[in-house]
Amino acid sequence: MLLSKCNLSSIQKIALYETKNSFYLIGSNVTLTSFRVLRIVRSEPKELNIINDEKEYTQQEVREMVKAIDSEGNDTSKKHGVSNITKIVSAFGIIGFVRFLEGYYIVVVTKRRRVAVIGHHTIYKVEDSSMIYIPNESVRIFHPDEQRYVKMFQSIDLSSNFYFSYSYDLTSTLQINVIRSEGFEKKPHRRFIWNSHLLQKFQDTIHPSWLLFFIHGFVGQSNISIYGRSTYITLIARRSSKYAGTRFLKRGTNFNGDVANEVETEQIVHDCSSSTLSRECLSSFVQLRGSVPCHWSQDISKIVPKPTIAVDLSDPYVETAAAHFRDLLERYGAPIFILNLVKKREKKKHESTLSEELQSSVAYLNQFLSSNDAIHYINFDMARKNKRYECMSTKRETKIDEFKYFSKKSNVISRLADIANYAITKTGIFRSKTPNDDRSSEKATTKSLQTGIIRTNCVDCLDRTNTAQFSLGKCALGHQLHHLGLLEAPQLEFDTDCVRMLEELYEDHGDTLALQYGGSQLVHRVKTYRKTAPWTSQGNDIMQTLSRYYSNTFSDQEKQQAINLFLGLFVPEEGRSPIWEVPTDYYIHHIQTRIFKHDKKVISHWWGDGDKYKNPNDCTDQTEDDVKSQFDVYDDFYRPSELSLLSEVYGYQVSHSVRDFMPHFTTDFSPFSIRIRPGRRKEEAGYKNQTKNPSLSGHCSTQSSASSSGTSSDDEDSISRRSLTPVVKRDENKKIISKQFFQKTENVYGLVYKYPIKNLATYKRY
C-alpha cells in the first residue's frame, strides 16, 4: 500500500572509473542485476559534459565494457603493463556537481548508515562523502581563490545530519506519500531539498534512477514493545532550504514569506507486526516551527547577551506575513494554529515587540476570512508560567471565555497539554487504516487526514519551542496509538516508558537543530519546565549558554557564507567580489530590494486567486509521465542476496523500550504504566554523564550503544537500573486491548499446544 509506485532512485551502488579523457559512473541496483552507465568528459576545463547512456546493462555486459575501455589504451601503457582505466571510489549515490572558479567537482556518498525504516522503505544517513575534481590536469585553469572556496564548501559537513532514501520521498509527509502511492508520483518538495543547486546542471538530462534528494535536519527512530508487539516511533525533521542560516544572522522572513529556521517535524507511528505493506498500520502528525513572520533583526555589532530586537521595515498591509500564511494554506490547508511562546509583558520592552507585531498581523489578516478559515492565535508566555495567559479565538472578536479551561492549571506542561488537545482535535492526525479493518469492506479504504498545521515559535525557535513541540507530540502519540488500536483511551501519562522514550527522541531532535542553528545543544529542556531537573543540570545549562554565545559571536558569519555557497545563493564568478569580501548577504536573500516589481494582488484577497487555498492532499494534476520505474523494496529491506549477522540487523540496533527504558525485575511489562522511581541520585548521574548529542557525531542515540551510555539526562545508567526495583502504578484506563490483538493460536491457526506426555527422551535429546 505504502508507496508501491514511488521510486526516487533505484541505483544504490556506484563504481567510479577514471581514464585520461573520461570518468565512467557504473551504477547498479542492490542485487547487481541491472546496471546503467554515465560518462563524464574530462577535456572541458569549465563545462560539465555528461553523456547519458539510455541502455540498461547486465553484469556480464558491464564487465565486457570495462575490458573494452581498458584495451583502448595507447601502446606505451600496454608495453609497461599500465591499465588504461582505474577504479577511484565506490559510492552509494550522487549528491551533485558544483563549480567555483575552475572546473566542476562531483560529490558522492561513500559511506551510509541505516537510521530508520518506514514500512519496507529504508532511510539512510550520510556518514562520509568524497569530492572529486573532474577536468584532467592538462586542461586545468588554476585560480588563486579556488581552494578557499573548496574549503568553505567542505565546511558544510555532509556527514552531519544529511539523510536520503532510495524509495521513500523524505521531502514530503507520510500522508502525501500514501496518497501518491495510489495514483501517480509527483515531484518532491523543493523547499526541503538541500542538494537542489548541485543537481541543477544534470537532473533533466539523465535517467531519474540516478537522482537522490537529500534533506537536512534530524531522523530518529525508537521501538515500543507492547507485550512483544513492535511499534516504531519515527521523528523526521526537515529544515527548509529557503532563507536558511544561523541564529542572529537570519531572523524574521524575506519578501516571499520564507521564515528563518523553518523546520517541519513529522511524528510517524508504524505498527510493524505485519510483513506485507498492504496490511501496514500507519499514522503521522506534522507540526512546524519558524521565526516570527515579519522583517526584524538583532544588532550583533555590540557583544551583549541579548542584542536589541528591532523591526526593520514597516508593513502596513501585512504583505510579508500574508505571503507566509498563504504558503502554509497551500501546503497544509486550514486551520492554522499559531502557538506564540514569546513574552507578552516585560518591564523593559524586548521580546514583546515581536508579540505585538505577530498579533496585529493575524488580526489584520483574519478580518478578510470567515470564522471557519481564520487563523487561530494562542499567546502563551512560558516565562510567566504561573500567571494567566491570553488567547485570541478564531473569530474576529477576542473571546478569552472560550479558553477558560486552559488557565486553571499553573503547571506549564499541563497548560501546553490543554493547548495540544484543543489544537489536535481541530487539525486531526493522519492514519492509513486500523488493524481490524476488513480488506473487503469500504472501511478499509477510508483514511483520517490531517488538515491544517500547528506552528510554534519563540524568539530563537529553540528551547521553548522544542518543549512545546514535545507536548504536542505527546498528545498526538496518544491519539495515534488509540487510532491504531493499541490504547483504550487517547492519553499518555508522564513517567511511563513510552513517554520517556518520546522525550528522549524530542531532546535529540532539539539538540540537533539547536547545534545546526544556534551553535549549542538545548539549554532548557522538558525537565526544566516540569521542575524535575536536578540541581546538577544548572552547570550544564551554563556551559551550553556559553557555547551558544561563543558560536554566535565568532563563527556564525563563516557558517552563513558556507550555507549561501552550498545552496547556490552565491555563485562565484570571474570579476565578482568573493563572498568573504561581501559585507552583507541581505540582497542575496531579499532580491526584491534590487528589482522592483509591482504586485497587483488585491490585499483583501491575500490567500491568492480563485479558491482560498488548494487542497494539500490533491494529487489529480499528475500525468503518466510522472511515473517512474518500479523499485523493489523487498530486496532493499531484506537483502536476500547478502550474508548478514543477526546482531547487525537494524531491529537489534534501534532503541528499544524494554531493553533501554523498562526497569529490571518488574512484573508489569506495559510501556504505558506509570513507574515511580525512588530517589534522585540516578537522574543526577544521568546529567553528570551527559555527552555531546550523538546524532551530530554520526552515532544517533537511537542505537542501543548510545542509549546505554547516558546520552539522555532522564535515563538512569544501565548498571544502576539492574538493581532498581520500581514502585509500579497501574492505570486501568490505559490497559492494552489484549483480546483484540493477542489471540490464541487455536483461533488463528487451528493449532493447540499441549505438554508432551510420550517420548520425552526424544525431546530431551534435542
Side-chain angles (χ1 to χ4, degrees), residues 15-19 22-26 37-39 69 85:
L16 179 59
Y17 289 89
E18 175 190 16
T19 66
S22 301
F23 275 128
Y24 292 91
L25 283 84
I26 301 177
V37 178
L38 279 182
R39 180 189 171 198
I69 296 172
I85 185 169

Side-chain angles (χ1 to χ4, degrees), residues 10-262:
S10 59
I11 293 179
Q12 296 196 39
K13 296 180 179 181
I14 297 176
L16 179 59
Y17 289 89
E18 175 190 16
T19 66
K20 182 179 179 180
N21 299 320
S22 301
F23 275 128
Y24 292 91
L25 283 84
I26 301 177
S28 68
N29 57 5
V30 68
T31 56
L32 300 177
T33 57
S34 177
F35 292 80
R36 288 188 177 273
V37 178
L38 279 182
R39 180 189 171 198
I40 306 175
V41 179
R42 303 186 63 195
S43 58
E44 298 288 343
K46 289 190 176 182
E47 296 299 325
L48 183 62
N49 188 357
I50 299 179
I51 301 174
N52 181 35
D53 192 341
E54 297 289 345
K55 183 180 177 181
E56 197 167 311
Y57 295 90
T58 64
Q59 191 173 29
Q60 182 61 32
E61 290 173 336
V62 166
R63 289 174 179 172
E64 293 175 357
M65 178 189 296
V66 173
K67 290 181 180 179
I69 296 172
D70 190 21
S71 64
E72 293 176 359
N74 54 45
D75 295 336
T76 305
S77 62
K78 291 180 181 179
K79 185 182 297 184
H80 293 83
V82 179
S83 176
N84 182 51
I85 185 169
T86 306
K87 184 177 179 181
I88 298 179
V89 69
S90 296
F92 296 101
I94 302 174
I95 299 176
F97 297 85
V98 64
R99 186 178 78 87
F100 308 115
L101 294 171
E102 295 182 8
Y104 274 90
Y105 298 82
I106 181 174
V107 188
V108 294
V109 179
T110 56
K111 189 177 180 181
R112 67 185 182 185
R113 178 168 59 88
R114 181 185 292 192
V115 293
V117 292
I118 301 176
H120 285 172
H121 302 274
T122 305
I123 299 174
Y124 295 97
K125 177 180 180 292
V126 179
E127 289 286 278
D128 200 3
S129 61
S130 181
M131 186 174 177
I132 302 165
Y133 189 66
I134 293 176
N136 193 285
E137 291 296 326
S138 61
V139 299
R140 185 169 186 173
I141 302 175
F142 290 90
H143 195 283
D145 292 335
E146 178 73 8
Q147 290 307 311
R148 185 166 181 179
Y149 275 117
V150 171
K151 185 177 180 181
M152 182 179 293
F153 181 87
Q154 291 177 336
S155 67
I156 300 294
D157 186 7
L158 291 172
S159 64
S160 176
N161 309 112
F162 280 84
Y163 304 90
F164 68 97
S165 176
Y166 298 102
S167 59
Y168 184 82
D169 184 5
L170 276 177
T171 66
S172 301
T173 63
L174 177 71
Q175 176 171 306
I176 297 298
N177 279 328
V178 170
I179 293 174
R180 289 176 185 170
S181 69
E182 298 171 353
F184 300 105
E185 183 190 358
K186 283 183 70 175
K187 294 181 179 179
H189 203 308
R190 290 287 170 182
R191 175 177 295 273
F192 301 112
I193 300 177
W194 274 67
N195 64 327
S196 183
H197 170 65
L198 306 181
L199 299 176
Q200 187 175 1
K201 286 290 183 180
F202 81 112
Q203 64 179 355
D204 296 329
T205 60
I206 67 169
H207 192 272
S209 59
W210 289 97
L211 294 178
L212 274 181
F213 300 103
F214 291 77
I215 68 167
H216 184 39
F218 171 81
V219 176
Q221 189 169 66
S222 295
N223 181 3
I224 297 180
S225 179
I226 307 174
Y227 294 109
R229 183 169 185 170
S230 293
T231 301
Y232 280 166
I233 298 179
T234 310
L235 212 59
I236 302 176
R238 308 173 180 94
R239 284 193 68 185
S240 173
S241 61
K242 309 290 186 181
Y243 204 53
T246 55
R247 182 186 178 198
F248 284 125
L249 297 180
K250 285 293 160 284
R251 294 296 208 187
T253 180
N254 60 17
F255 289 100
N256 295 325
D258 304 314
V259 295
N261 197 28
E262 179 177 292

Side-chain angles (χ1 to χ4, degrees), residues 646-665:
L646 190 62
S647 59
E648 296 177 357
V649 175
Y650 174 73
Y652 284 90
Q653 298 175 351
V654 68
S655 178
H656 199 281
S657 63
V658 174
R659 181 187 62 224
D660 303 319
F661 292 90
M662 183 180 292
H664 294 265
F665 310 111

Side-chain angles (χ1 to χ4, degrees), residues 395-591:
K395 298 181 180 179
R396 297 185 183 88
E397 310 88 359
T398 300
K399 293 186 177 181
I400 302 179
D401 294 339
E402 296 182 11
F403 300 93
K404 278 184 177 179
Y405 62 95
F406 286 168
S407 307
K408 295 179 180 179
K409 299 177 182 178
S410 60
N411 184 274
V412 172
I413 300 298
S414 299
R415 293 186 182 183
L416 287 173
D418 289 336
I419 297 172
N421 278 310
Y422 175 76
I424 291 175
T425 54
K426 298 295 184 181
T427 63
I429 63 173
F430 169 73
R431 68 179 178 91
S432 61
K433 62 183 284 294
T434 60
N436 296 322
D437 286 343
D438 185 2
R439 295 294 299 170
S440 62
S441 67
E442 294 183 359
K443 186 179 180 182
T445 61
T446 59
K447 300 179 184 64
S448 172
L449 302 178
Q450 177 178 343
T451 55
I453 194 68
I454 303 173
R455 183 195 189 280
T456 309
N457 73 270
C458 54
V459 176
D460 298 322
C461 297
L462 295 178
D463 301 352
R464 285 174 281 181
T465 297
N466 201 70
T467 299
Q469 288 197 314
F470 163 74
S471 298
L472 292 166
K474 173 177 171 291
C475 177
L477 181 59
H479 286 278
Q480 289 174 298
L481 293 172
H482 175 66
H483 280 309
L484 296 181
L486 302 175
L487 268 183
E488 180 105 20
Q491 296 177 0
L492 290 172
E493 301 294 339
F494 279 100
D495 300 315
T496 61
D497 299 337
C498 177
V499 174
R500 282 158 54 83
M501 175 178 284
L502 184 70
E503 183 179 341
E504 182 179 274
L505 268 178
Y506 270 93
E507 289 207 345
D508 281 356
H509 163 268
D511 282 338
T512 303
L513 297 178
L515 276 162
Q516 293 171 6
Y517 180 66
S520 75
Q521 298 181 50
L522 293 173
V523 176
H524 303 296
R525 302 172 180 271
V526 176
K527 293 175 206 57
T528 306
Y529 296 100
R530 286 190 68 202
K531 299 181 180 180
T532 60
W535 65 270
T536 51
S537 66
Q538 295 178 3
N540 181 65
D541 293 346
I542 294 173
M543 292 304 297
Q544 296 300 337
T545 303
L546 293 175
S547 174
R548 185 177 297 180
Y549 178 70
Y550 175 85
S551 175
N552 300 152
T553 305
F554 299 105
S555 63
D556 273 8
Q557 186 67 37
E558 295 179 359
K559 289 169 62 177
Q560 185 64 58
Q561 292 174 355
I563 292 173
N564 293 339
L565 185 68
F566 185 87
L567 294 176
L569 298 172
F570 180 92
V571 179
E573 297 176 3
E574 191 71 38
R576 183 181 183 181
S577 299
I579 190 172
W580 50 85
E581 292 182 2
V582 178
T584 177
D585 65 349
Y586 180 84
Y587 301 103
I588 296 176
H589 295 272
H590 300 80
I591 302 177

